[in-house]
Amino acid sequence: MRQIALLGMCMIAGIGFMAWVVRPESAISATTEENNVGVKSTTRKTDLNLATAQELSKLPGIGIELAERIVRQRPYRKLDELISKKVLGRKQFARIKGRIRVSSVP
């Protein structure tokens, strides 16, 4: 009798383990989407025409002096004007171009 009870408990534990390991695809997608929502909200792009020098200085490789130079050369119509106006070099621009944007110029 003990052997049957032990066998039953092992089967129940095994089924529970399999249900945990083999999750439905929808559960995996939902978890992934929930994780991505948090990531998207924290990676907002910095607007070159609206950001303060302090906000711009938080970009990688951009100190306060370079941020002030970006502010002085406003307005920007396109991102690559940072290079054409000689505000940034190509390597500096490549480092931050995925984190910046340009709003419409008033």
Side-chain angles (χ1 to χ4, degrees):
M1 192 69 171
R2 279 177 120 180
Q3 291 175 343
I4 293 174
L6 185 60
L7 181 62
M9 288 174 40
C10 288
M11 288 178 60
I12 291 171
I15 291 171
F17 178 74
M18 290 301 293
W20 178 76
V21 171
V22 184
R23 295 189 312 185
E25 188 66 34
S26 61
I28 294 170
S29 297
T31 303
T32 304
E33 289 174 12
E34 289 170 4
N35 290 341
N36 287 342
V37 169
V39 171
K40 288 179 184 176
S41 65
T42 59
T43 57
R44 195 170 9 166
K45 292 186 177 185
T46 303
D47 192 311
L48 294 178
N49 289 325
L50 301 176
T52 64
Q54 189 171 9
E55 291 170 332
L56 291 167
S57 69
K58 293 178 183 176
L59 293 167
I62 306 296
I64 193 68
E65 290 178 21
L66 194 50
E68 289 171 353
R69 189 180 339 158
I70 292 171
V71 170
R72 281 194 306 267
Q73 295 293 326
R74 286 177 179 166
Y76 299 98
R77 289 181 177 76
K78 297 186 293 185
L79 290 178
D80 61 359
E81 287 183 7
L82 285 171
I83 297 171
S84 64
K85 290 182 176 186
K86 300 187 189 296
V87 177
L88 296 179
R90 292 187 186 280
K91 287 182 182 179
Q92 290 170 315
F93 177 73
R95 191 179 306 144
I96 66 167
K97 78 176 184 180
R99 298 177 182 215
I100 56 175
R101 69 183 188 93
V102 175
S103 63
S104 58
V105 180

